Amino acid sequence: MLVSEHIFEEMEEKKNSPPHGLLKQNNMILRFLMVLLSSCVINRNYLCSTHPMVTPTVSPHSGSSNITASLEALRLDGHLSFDNMHHAAKDFGNRHHFLPSAVLHPKSVSDISSTIKHIFEMGTTTGLTVAARGHGHSLEGQAQAYHGVVINMESLQAPDMYFHIGELPYVDASGGELWINLLHESVKHGLTPKSWTDYLHLTVGGTLSNAGISGQAFRHGPQINNVYQLEVVTGTGEVVTCSEKKNADLFYGVLGGLGQFGIITRARISLEPAPMMVKWIRVLYTDFFLFSKDQEHLISSKNSFDYIEGFVIINRTGLLNNWRSSFNPKDPVQASQFNSEGRTLFCLEIAKYFNPEETNFMTQKVDSLLSELSYIKSTLLLSEVSYVEFLDRVHVSELKLREMGLWEVPHPWLNLLIPKSRIHDFANEVFGNILTDTSTGPILIYPVDKSKWNNRTSMVTPEEDVFYLVAFLSSAMPFSKGTDGLEHILNQNKRILDFCKSANLGMKQYLPHYITREDWKTHFGTQWEVFVMRKSTYDPLAILAPGQRIFQKARRSFSDIGLQNNQHNIQSSKGR
């Protein structure tokens, strides 16, 4: 998930087992049901119904007390809770609130496996589904399960992180571990993961189920490109270890698979030597052509910066001199004369990693790289921070916003991947006509090189080798009917999406959200059939990740099965 410290600056400015006995008696019927429906559920039931955006108080399942009783009877190392579950119906998007029937707090992988296996063996006689919830940073209710079971993945911490030191170093970490914890433990060994997200208080399994993109992706690819091995619990409850060489189809399917094929319970993540310091730089442009040209030049250079991002600033008065940050102008006199009023600006944000003994060489290298760029010279802003401080740069501002009551607001974010060949068309329309300001949140924009991405994962990207990530990270003020209100921002997002479609830009959504089967098919394109086949293989009853609204769990009663069996027998006798 993408986030930047600028969202916080701008908002501050704006404020100024035994339970299976009965099931075993009907095992043959259930097995027949699952085999029968696994062949048709994917083809006939693509999309979850649109549930009301309120917290329901009555379960839609018949016999819900029996379902609760069967779940309570499960033998677990952790526990299931059936009360006070409102936190599981809330996420960072803060727009969808679907109350589950239970929340699982697992202490072991077997807790997750047993629960899913139990629900799978109940077949389609119940509508129970399962969603894995990390740190709750989904935007559209993707980690919620309406009257299903939500798994609190942060409860799954054991076993502890294991570090392999030496050639090809790696760390084995729980899928419920936060990246910030992984960072702190890694640097103790002088190591670090290669690719990050802008915000580190996210779970390992959560970002790997999407992609994990930040300013290092141009060099190392997203986080899903830097994983050696996974442990996954599938939609049948099976625990599978997979890698490039073992169960490869599941391995690549789960990476970027939106949680559709399995829950990541452990990941082996590639590491590299960790630097100690970061030279952090921002420069401004008024010309989008020069801005994008410099970004593309930097990501194609062999010896470049270690982090490359950018963002757009529209209608921000006195920006350079009023920017509250730890940055200092290289030339304070020239910077004081810069006037940003009335102009759309583009900020290039770059960073170079180094160790203290390399300071002189790093300074020369940075100066050399900057000399190749066409930014406004008076706008060069510099900061020098520790590596950990740089990577965790968002969290300090988050804490301030929480104190101000400006964190838990609706976040109607829109994240797009735009092909390089159409980025200027996109910029001209969106930044020139659709958007009038950026006061509701930052707009990130930077290119990545797809040659550094593995095309075997489930992650969908534009067809061109170079494409831009453009992220509209808006925050809506509660009860506002103005330009900072939810309705206005959603309409603005729709205008952007409508333009992308009408102009045939070849855009793909990152952290995608669609409500129709045709939109999902269009999103996946040629990968759709593979995606559907993997779903039928690893989650044949469509139990997992219902909040993505891609597939719907089929539901039938035992009387339906008996009727279908009779019809099947009649047809068979006619055939004879």
Side-chain angles (χ1 to χ4, degrees), residues 13 258 345 566:
E13 288 174 2
L258 306 178
L345 299 174
N566 290 334

Side-chain angles (χ1 to χ4, degrees), residues 144-155:
Q144 299 176 29
Y146 180 60
H147 284 290
V149 176
V150 170
I151 301 177
N152 176 17
M153 293 301 294
E154 288 190 82
S155 296

Side-chain angles (χ1 to χ4, degrees), residues 79 104-108 133 152-158 174 176:
H79 69 281
L104 172 64
H105 303 272
K107 284 189 176 180
S108 64
R133 185 182 193 273
N152 176 17
M153 293 301 294
E154 288 190 82
S155 296
L156 180 69
Q157 298 301 319
S174 165

Side-chain angles (χ1 to χ4, degrees), residues 67 76 107-108 141 273 306 318 390 393 406 548:
I67 293 172
L76 303 171
K107 284 189 176 180
S108 64
D306 298 297
F390 171 72
R393 58 195 178 276
L406 292 175
Q548 295 285 0

Side-chain angles (χ1 to χ4, degrees), residues 163-376:
F163 286 88
H164 169 73
I165 312 299
E167 188 175 359
L168 297 178
Y170 62 79
V171 58
D172 284 334
S174 165
E177 191 65 78
L178 296 181
W179 283 98
I180 182 62
N181 297 336
L182 198 153
L183 171 64
H184 286 305
E185 291 301 314
S186 296
V187 295
K188 292 178 182 177
H189 298 276
L191 298 168
T192 176
K194 301 172 183 177
S195 192
W196 296 96
T197 52
D198 288 333
Y199 180 65
L200 303 189
H201 294 252
L202 307 169
T203 58
V204 168
T207 65
L208 295 182
S209 295
N210 288 282
I213 306 174
S214 186
Q216 303 87 3
F218 78 95
R219 174 170 293 168
H220 298 292
Q223 289 180 320
I224 57 175
N225 268 47
N226 296 277
V227 179
Y228 293 140
Q229 181 176 289
L230 297 172
E231 179 185 71
V232 175
V233 180
T234 69
T236 64
E238 183 181 5
V239 181
V240 182
T241 298
C242 53
S243 65
E244 182 180 11
K245 297 181 179 179
K246 181 180 181 181
N247 300 311
D249 184 65
L250 179 61
F251 177 71
Y252 289 117
V254 167
L255 293 172
L258 306 178
Q260 292 301 305
F261 316 123
I263 295 174
I264 297 171
T265 52
R266 200 156 181 83
R268 179 166 293 176
I269 300 162
S270 173
L271 302 175
E272 67 178 1
M276 296 179 65
M277 301 297 295
V278 174
K279 178 70 78 173
W280 190 5
I281 302 166
R282 289 174 179 169
V283 294
L284 296 177
Y285 297 73
T286 56
D287 188 323
F288 182 78
F289 174 81
L290 295 177
F291 167 73
S292 59
K293 179 182 178 182
D294 280 357
Q295 281 192 320
E296 292 169 15
H297 165 70
L298 289 176
I299 70 163
S300 65
S301 300
K302 290 184 178 179
N303 297 310
S304 187
F305 290 95
D306 298 297
Y307 162 97
I308 299 171
E309 286 196 10
F311 51 97
V312 185
I313 310 113
I314 302 174
N315 196 25
R316 302 299 305 281
T317 302
L319 172 73
L320 192 67
N321 300 323
N322 295 328
W323 221 345
R324 290 195 295 271
S325 70
S326 58
F327 288 80
N328 296 311
K330 185 173 183 180
D331 190 329
V333 176
Q334 286 193 45
S336 66
Q337 299 171 358
F338 178 80
N339 187 352
S340 62
E341 187 171 358
R343 287 189 285 182
T344 296
L345 299 174
F346 306 95
C347 177
L348 173 63
E349 185 173 51
I350 45 186
K352 191 68 176 175
Y353 306 156
F354 67 101
N355 291 316
E357 64 272 15
E358 304 168 325
T359 300
N360 291 336
F361 173 78
M362 181 277 303
T363 301
Q364 294 175 9
K365 180 61 179 176
V366 166
D367 288 343
S368 175
L369 289 170
L370 289 173
S371 69
E372 301 171 2
L373 306 181
S374 303
Y375 61 92
I376 303 170

